[in-house]
Amino acid sequence: MATLEQTKEIFRRADAVCFDVDSTVIREEGIDELAKFCGVGDAVREMTCKAMGGTVTFQKALTDRLSIIKCSREQVNKLLTDHPPQLTPGIKDLVDRLHERNVKVFLVSGGFRSIVEHVASQLSIPHDRVYANQLKFYFNGEFAGYDETQPTAESGGKGRVICMLKEKYGFEKVVMIGDGATDLEACPPASAFIGFGGNVVRPQVKEGSLWYVTSFGELLKELEKI
């Protein structure tokens, strides 16, 4: 059983760090913002809470929420223009510091690629280091579902992405950082998990985390110890 100190040591010496996006790297839940923008905010927010709390499978929650939202390509683009995702304070400094140390940074999200790529650009993270769900649209721009073959579309998907990254790049130490149940369950195969409660505290995740932080400043401070 790892200890808090071992978790901190793994973070300081990580080859790669994988961040969840919604309520971690950004302040909001992207799917809730999209739902609100499309006029079905309340119904979808309730489903998001269940999904993040681990009371229903992620894939079922995603399918059910999208069947209510039914967003068009135009609505997604307008959301990004009118209400771009708000970065959590301190995340840019932390990602910059990790990049300076030649640590590979990935965004691994159950959210939507179009939104997550927008966030990746703000953080100078290459888009080929983004793993997220792909919305599908008909030729006229109307909603056509989502790509159910993406690993991030189902429970346990983030762990599968981390396995794939280890295999592809030969990483030994991979750290997962996030606020939700799908992040916590990615360790193992992640070498360590850091729970993040800077935007929302999920009791199940807080209890299951050896290291739980409420600001990215705490992680930056740890990197200074090297």
Side-chain angles (χ1 to χ4, degrees):
M1 180 69 179
T3 65
L4 172 60
E5 281 313 311
Q6 285 169 329
T7 301
K8 289 183 174 183
E9 174 77 7
I10 292 167
F11 174 64
R12 289 196 300 267
R13 306 197 177 282
D15 303 308
V17 176
C18 297
F19 287 93
D20 169 51
V21 176
D22 295 325
S23 295
T24 300
V25 168
I26 62 174
R27 306 197 70 154
E28 60 268 26
E29 288 288 326
I31 194 165
D32 288 352
E33 292 303 304
L34 183 58
K36 199 193 304 178
F37 194 73
C38 295
V40 288
D42 291 344
V44 169
R45 196 176 306 108
E46 196 177 314
M47 287 183 180
T48 299
C49 288
K50 286 181 182 173
M52 296 309 293
T55 53
V56 295
T57 68
F58 184 81
Q59 191 163 30
K60 176 168 170 44
L62 182 60
T63 304
D64 289 351
R65 287 179 292 179
L66 282 174
S67 69
I68 292 173
I69 300 171
K70 291 180 180 163
C71 53
S72 66
R73 184 188 278 117
E74 187 185 350
Q75 283 174 312
V76 175
N77 291 339
K78 194 160 168 44
L79 171 72
L80 288 171
T81 305
D82 295 358
H83 302 283
Q86 301 299 302
L87 292 179
T88 300
I91 186 61
K92 181 135 182 46
D93 291 341
L94 178 58
V95 170
D96 286 349
R97 186 78 184 97
L98 289 167
H99 280 155
E100 281 169 19
R101 295 164 49 80
N102 209 24
V103 177
K104 303 293 185 286
V105 178
F106 296 84
L107 299 181
V108 184
S109 173
F112 306 124
R113 189 170 190 93
S114 49
I115 296 173
V116 177
E117 283 184 347
H118 182 90
V119 173
S121 296
Q122 290 179 278
L123 297 172
S124 304
I125 296 170
H127 289 186
D128 63 358
R129 292 185 190 163
V130 168
Y131 292 84
N133 290 317
Q134 185 79 48
L135 291 171
K136 295 196 292 192
F137 301 99
Y138 292 112
F139 68 92
N140 63 357
E142 286 183 5
F143 178 69
Y146 68 98
D147 182 355
E148 296 180 27
T149 66
Q150 294 294 319
T152 48
E154 54 188 10
S155 299
K158 292 182 180 181
R160 275 191 285 285
V161 169
I162 289 170
C163 281
M164 195 169 63
L165 294 178
K166 283 181 161 183
E167 203 174 295
K168 182 177 178 180
Y169 296 100
F171 297 141
E172 286 184 21
K173 293 184 175 68
V174 180
V175 176
M176 180 75 210
I177 300 174
D179 69 289
T182 60
D183 308 312
L184 177 62
E185 71 180 10
C187 180
S191 317
F193 171 71
I194 301 168
F196 183 74
N199 293 309
V200 60
V201 175
R202 305 192 197 279
Q204 175 195 358
V205 177
K206 187 175 184 179
E207 287 160 22
S209 304
L210 280 168
W211 190 14
Y212 193 82
V213 301
T214 53
S215 85
F216 288 123
E218 294 173 66
L219 302 184
L220 262 174
K221 200 177 291 182
E222 196 61 37
L223 290 177
E224 288 166 10
K225 293 183 180 179
I226 299 171

